[in-house]
Amino acid sequence: MLQRKTLFALLLCALSSAASAENVVNDSGEWTLGPAFKPEWKPHFTIAATAGYLAPDIDGVSGSSSPGIQLSLNCPWFTPPSGAIRQQFNYNTFDNDGQQLKSLEMNPRYFMSASPSILIGFGPGLGYVWTESDLGKDKNVWALQLGADIEYRHKRLFLAFGSRYQWTQDKELGLANTGANNLLTQGKIGINF
């Protein structure tokens, strides 16, 4: 019962006031360096819960659910002539078949407006992955990723769907595994500020 009331309160907040996709994108026709240092800059923060399916490229480990959280904002360093660069900070977890992965990622995305409420974006990323394996050694590895997202923004409501592939450093994780490369596809629900 408490969960339903909390969910209802979040949805009510989501449907009231500010940010749509048209408020996030820029159409000035000029690059802006250091927009965060200009008085008119707005970060348009978004926080979202994420849930998805992570398919690891690790022998003996099958895919499973991957819950997480995402914080995103307009890039404080660059504003493109059209569209938007959004900095996405993701924390994702995975635990299946004796293998645990926890990743912290920075995934900047270039977004284009498909409609007043829909953004489509793509871009690279940098991450750090903590691994724990029942079959081998626990390692921490650096990662690079490439992904794409589609976002729906209406006032405070944020819904999104995204996918990214992550390449990790080659380090021995299990008996015959080096690295923890993986594909993550996830849905997101959150609040725009």
Side-chain angles (χ1 to χ4, degrees), residues 7-87:
L7 181 59
F8 181 73
L10 282 173
L11 287 174
L12 201 56
C13 288
L15 296 174
S16 63
S17 97
S20 69
E22 61 191 13
N23 295 333
V24 172
V25 297
N26 173 43
D27 290 316
S28 70
E30 299 178 5
W31 277 95
T32 304
L33 298 178
F37 303 105
K38 300 189 183 323
E40 68 275 7
W41 183 73
K42 293 186 173 148
H44 294 291
F45 285 106
T46 299
I47 189 157
T50 65
Y53 183 81
L54 189 141
D57 191 9
I58 302 172
D59 290 338
V61 181
S62 57
S64 187
S65 63
S66 178
I69 191 165
Q70 175 179 290
L71 172 68
S72 66
L73 70 150
N74 282 347
C75 180
W77 310 114
F78 305 100
T79 300
S82 65
I85 297 174
R86 300 268 304 158
Q87 299 289 356

Side-chain angles (χ1 to χ4, degrees), residues 131-146:
T131 73
E132 292 181 26
S133 175
D134 291 348
L135 302 173
K137 302 175 180 178
D138 299 345
K139 296 286 182 175
N140 300 334
V141 292
W142 287 99
L144 295 173
Q145 49 270 348
L146 185 62

Side-chain angles (χ1 to χ4, degrees), residues 8 18 54 88 96 112 115 124 158 168 170 179:
F8 181 73
L54 189 141
Q88 297 179 342
N96 195 37
M112 299 165 287
S115 79
F158 172 79
T168 66
D170 285 341

